[in-house]
């Protein structure tokens, strides 16, 4: 599975082999903040969480970027001083450093982030990787740092949401082409649940049903989507989606424009 492949790549980048120990620290940002060392929770001071989370999302950045983003309303010197304080606090959290400091800041070797795993899994799918062994759990995890309202978090949350949706749609289409309809339906449903009003997600799901000649489900999904759009936005599905279902009922296929 892609998650296993991505994990292997991350471990290799940290200088580990399959015979070595698992990554020492796991940073969780999807669904809520959490840090674990060898599977055991690590307490991180509230203020220091912001810096660790920022690096978990950006992976690597200049000191000035981190200071300016995390303390946008502060004078440059004050922001840099705040950054130094946060780094000092983080260095006291664990025996080993969590942050690598050189010309830029980054998570230390041995610290993995679920955001990085998600990004790598999505990039693999969107690049047209070889057929997969199954759906990718990393794409079905929670949103980025729920309850956090920093401007950078809101921006990254939306970016990751869009990345996840495109990757899920790509995976569902690939599974459909392979005739793995049961898996394709589950992946497409995950995309629809993430964004019920997104027509491309519904289109992918309808295509799965049409490919397996499950016409009744395709029609039902179109009608559900029509009702949701009408109730929430006061609009109807595009004529193309309507044409797709009509053609499917007649046993024809319609290439995506």
């Amino acid at each position: 599975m892609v998650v296993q492949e991505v994990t292997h790549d991350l471990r290799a980048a940290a200088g580990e082999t399959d015979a070595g120990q698992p990554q020492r620290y796991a940073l969780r940002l999807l669904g809520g903040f959490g840090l674990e060392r060898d599977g055991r929770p690590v307490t991180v001071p509230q203020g220091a969480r912001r810096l660790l989370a920022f690096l978990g999302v950006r992976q690597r950045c200049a000191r000035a970027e981190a200071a300016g983003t995390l303390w946008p309303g502060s004078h440059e010197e004050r922001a840099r001083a705040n950054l130094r304080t946060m780094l000092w606090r983080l260095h006291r959290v664990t025996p080993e450093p969590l942050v690598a400091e050189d010309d830029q800041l980054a998570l230390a070797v041995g610290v993995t982030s679920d955001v990085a795993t998600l990004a790598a899994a999505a990039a693999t799918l969107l690049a047209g990787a070889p057929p997969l062994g199954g759906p990718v759990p990393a794409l079905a995890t929670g949103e980025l740092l729920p309850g956090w309202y920093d401007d950078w978090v809101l921006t990254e949350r939306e970016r990751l949401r869009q990345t996840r949706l495109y990757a899920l749609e790509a995976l569902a289409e690939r599974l459909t082409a392979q005739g793995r309809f049961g898996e394709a339906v589950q992946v497409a449903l995950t995309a629809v649940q993430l964004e019920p009003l997104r027509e491309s997600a519904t289109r992918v799901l309808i295509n799965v049903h049409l490919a397996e000649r499950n016409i009744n489900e395709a029609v039902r999904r179109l009608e559900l989507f029509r009702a949701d759009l009408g109730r929430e936005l006061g609009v109807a599905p595009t004529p193309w989606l309507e044409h797709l279902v009509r053609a499917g009922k007649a046993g024809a296929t319609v290439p995506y424009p």
Side-chain angles (χ1 to χ4, degrees), residues 155-166:
T155 299
E156 293 295 338
R157 184 181 295 155
E158 178 59 20
R159 182 183 65 81
L160 285 172
R161 189 180 73 88
Q162 292 294 331
T163 296
R164 178 182 293 158
L165 284 165
Y166 279 115

Side-chain angles (χ1 to χ4, degrees), residues 141-161:
T141 50
E143 70 173 8
L144 176 68
L145 297 169
W148 291 37
Y149 300 104
D150 307 59
D151 287 344
W152 72 268
V153 174
L154 297 178
T155 299
E156 293 295 338
R157 184 181 295 155
E158 178 59 20
R159 182 183 65 81
L160 285 172
R161 189 180 73 88

